[in-house]
Amino acid sequence: MAGELVEFQTDEGAVMGQVMNLEEDTVGCVVYGNYLTVKEGDIVKSTGRLLEVPVGEGLLGRVVNPLGEPIDDGPALETTEASKVDIIAPGIAERQPVHEPLQTGIKAIDAMIPIGRGQRELIIGDRKTGKTAVAVDAIINQKQYWGTKDAMVCVYVAIGQKESTVAGVVEMLKKHGAMEYTIVVTAGSSDPAPMQYIAPYTGCTMGEYFMWQGKNPDATLRDGKPMPKHALCIYDDLSKQAVAYRQLSLLLRRPPGREAYPGDVFYLHSRLLERSTKLNDANGGGSLTALPIIETQEGDVSAYIPTNVISITDGQIYLEPELFFSGVRPAVNVGISVSRVGGAAQVKAMKKIAGSLRLDLAAFRELEAFSQLGTELDAATQKQLDRGASMVELLKQPQYVPAHVVDQVISIYAGTKGFFDDVAKKDVPAFEKAMLEYFQTSGKPVWDEIESTHALSDELEKKLADALRAYKSGLKN
């Protein structure tokens, strides 16, 4: 049958394959394993099974290949459950609208392009613009929720990358204590195309196991923590998966279409990303969030694969080389980045203060371009330029330092209300750091109140403004 596993009996032992083409007198197969050992005359047995991979909490902290076999020199997997890799996504009736925030810890994203649990948000940009960095920061930021009811399992799928690059990411996750809730699935650049093609589905299947745990509220992890029912899958990146699938399809003699991709390359990504959802309460209310990554060539977002994935996802974060090289990092282009879930996926306090931020930054970019003509500017325009420049500085963030949502709210509130207006541009990061330290000492009651309510009532906003004024007057004294 289509998608059935078959077993090649070679001189070196059994090698698994999967049926892709069923024709009248031939069967087209892909081989998972050492295809060099398969030769003419070998016996092939049908198994009656579809492709399955191991799932469960035994995978947490492990690095596995697309067949779910550990490749991190650790012990054998402590999991007995397996799930089918290619399933039909939950139907509309089993879902509910996305309404819980997924905090990435990145100010520019959480404020202007919020991501919700169950959303599919594309990260798109050229090579070396910090796409993986955004995804890794989002994983590291989940550390604060581990062991709570908001805990999230992260699955990082590396497709067609150098093994050394993946090892670097794993090392960074270990260093920040994020590997305990992360599964890494890797199909390296030296792995055959079938492995790169199957890797995202494997990662998705492993994440789905946790999404359905909401139906089992008593389940706990080995160390007694509640079993997470939220998962985050990062596919890094789907451009390479599409290339692997093109290679497979051409070898299977499937007719090529635009850019030599097969006709069903849209289905390749849609059936993967459609599995990300927020389940309704009857199904336990779990979620699977997808952050697919697409690499563009020279910023061409209108190419075939980028437009395909843009049309499947619920928004995109566009990273721009010009911004990256001018020192604005993360290099998010606010103009064409969008989240189609928007404020529904933000805490109330952030939604209240970040509403005008996107427009302010867009106006600043326009004014900045105009001011380069060297014309004389009136005081109001100059003030707007200065505030815009300090907001750009405020939204810059070093790698692997995700910010707590309350810290983000305080920083952005202070920026939009003009508390940074008289601070020199180069001093903004130091001023912000000292200000946030103040809110861990004298201003702690205000910080705690925002943390407990996640909203900014008029009364609380007054307290926050007073605390900021007290901090600034203390500086002057």
Side-chain angles (χ1 to χ4, degrees):
M1 55 188 174
E4 184 178 349
L5 284 181
V6 293
E7 196 177 276
F8 293 86
Q9 297 192 314
T10 71
D11 299 340
E12 315 264 321
V15 173
M16 299 310 288
Q18 191 179 16
V19 174
M20 298 274 278
N21 284 9
L22 284 177
E23 286 156 34
E24 280 184 28
D25 51 356
T26 57
V27 171
C29 252
V30 298
V31 181
Y32 300 127
N34 188 357
Y35 54 92
L36 297 172
T37 60
V38 179
K39 58 183 191 303
E40 195 176 350
D42 285 344
I43 290 175
V44 187
K45 288 184 174 177
S46 66
T47 62
R49 294 183 293 124
L50 297 173
L51 185 60
E52 291 187 330
V53 290
V55 294
E57 68 266 35
L59 286 156
L60 294 176
R62 302 302 299 269
V63 182
V64 297
N65 72 7
L67 299 177
E69 300 159 347
I71 51 172
D72 54 4
D73 299 331
L77 289 180
E78 297 175 37
T79 182
T80 51
E81 290 183 74
S83 284
K84 288 192 171 56
V85 165
D86 223 344
I87 60 151
I88 294 172
I92 297 293
E94 295 172 278
R95 305 175 178 223
Q96 64 172 310
V98 172
H99 60 87
E100 301 160 313
L102 184 153
Q103 302 293 350
T104 63
I106 299 168
K107 288 177 280 192
I109 292 173
D110 290 344
M112 295 181 287
I113 318 150
I115 302 171
R117 295 183 174 210
Q119 193 177 341
R120 301 153 301 177
E121 182 81 9
L122 172 64
I123 301 172
I124 186 166
D126 283 8
R127 283 191 72 237
K128 295 273 180 256
T129 49
K131 302 187 295 299
T132 304
V134 168
V136 171
D137 275 356
I139 295 178
I140 292 171
N141 195 49
Q142 302 315 310
K143 173 111 177 117
Q144 59 183 309
Y145 304 111
W146 187 241
T148 70
K149 65 177 177 36
D150 291 324
M152 201 166 211
V153 166
C154 302
V155 184
Y156 177 74
V157 184
I159 309 154
Q161 297 188 37
K162 289 187 299 191
E163 274 84 350
S164 58
T165 309
V166 181
V169 170
V170 172
E171 206 46 53
M172 196 48 71
L173 292 174
K174 279 183 180 161
K175 184 179 165 189
H176 289 89
M179 259 326 260
E180 65 173 320
Y181 53 85
T182 304
I183 304 167
V184 177
V185 180
T186 175
S189 51
S190 59
D191 287 348
M195 294 294 236
Q196 296 185 35
Y197 151 69
I198 209 75
Y201 301 105
T202 298
C204 184
T205 305
M206 291 170 177
E208 268 170 342
Y209 167 84
F210 292 97
M211 173 176 83
W212 288 102
Q213 288 301 315
K215 292 188 86 167
N216 183 9
D218 304 325
T220 55
L221 285 163
R222 286 159 301 186
D223 49 5
K225 291 176 179 168
M227 180 77 83
K229 62 175 183 177
H230 301 286
L232 167 66
C233 274
I234 288 151
Y235 308 113
D236 190 3
D237 62 74
L238 292 186
S239 317
K240 293 193 181 77
Q241 190 211 10
V243 167
Y245 186 61
R246 171 168 65 183
Q247 186 181 333
L248 262 175
S249 299
L250 292 172
L251 287 170
L252 287 166
R253 309 244 168 211
R254 292 182 175 182
R258 179 174 162 190
E259 292 179 26
Y261 286 104
D264 64 339
V265 75
F266 181 90
Y267 179 58
L268 171 82
H269 290 149
S270 64
R271 77 175 192 261
L272 169 72
L273 295 169
E274 207 49 57
R275 287 160 71 174
S276 301
T277 179
K278 168 73 178 153
L279 294 173
N280 62 18
D281 293 335
N283 282 308
S287 71
L288 177 67
T289 311
L291 293 181
I293 294 176
I294 286 285
E295 186 181 292
T296 51
Q297 311 279 337
E298 291 285 323
D300 184 11
V301 287
S302 61
Y304 189 30
I305 300 300
T307 46
N308 270 358
V309 184
I310 285 171
S311 64
I312 297 164
T313 48
D314 311 307
Q316 66 275 345
I317 295 166
Y318 179 58
L319 301 175
E320 203 169 13
E322 287 75 20
L323 286 173
F324 186 84
F325 296 122
S326 67
V328 178
R329 298 177 191 182
V332 179
N333 175 327
V334 185
I336 67 169
S337 297
V338 60
S339 166
R340 297 194 186 100
V341 173
Q346 275 176 314
V347 297
K348 288 192 178 76
M350 182 65 91
K351 189 176 177 182
K352 183 173 181 179
I353 58 157
S356 64
L357 187 57
R358 178 190 281 269
L359 286 172
D360 290 349
L361 280 176
F364 163 69
R365 292 254 180 261
E366 258 179 47
L367 269 178
E368 190 183 34
F370 177 71
S371 69
Q372 283 170 344
L373 301 171
T375 46
E376 286 292 315
L377 299 173
D378 59 277
T381 309
Q382 188 60 51
K383 190 178 173 191
Q384 196 178 352
L385 262 178
D386 293 343
R387 172 146 329 159
S390 64
M391 286 311 294
V392 169
E393 284 302 313
L394 195 59
L395 291 174
K396 287 183 186 176
Q397 205 169 333
Q399 211 172 331
Y400 313 128
V401 192
H404 192 283
V405 65
V406 179
D407 289 345
Q408 294 185 35
V409 167
I410 292 170
S411 292
I412 291 168
Y413 179 83
T416 51
K417 297 295 181 197
F419 285 96
F420 284 86
D421 286 2
D422 54 355
V423 178
K425 203 167 127 181
K426 66 178 192 319
D427 298 332
V428 166
F431 182 88
E432 183 199 16
K433 188 175 177 215
M435 177 186 79
L436 293 175
E437 281 168 4
Y438 169 80
F439 277 95
Q440 290 304 320
T441 52
S442 313
K444 192 80 168 90
V446 177
W447 196 98
D448 289 339
E449 198 173 335
I450 299 173
E451 160 73 346
S452 62
T453 60
H454 275 171
L456 208 57
S457 62
D458 292 344
E459 186 191 343
L460 183 52
E461 188 176 341
K462 185 176 179 304
K463 282 185 194 170
L464 176 57
D466 290 345
L468 285 164
R469 275 192 284 272
Y471 169 66
K472 285 205 79 168
S473 66
L475 277 184
K476 282 172 185 157
N477 297 338

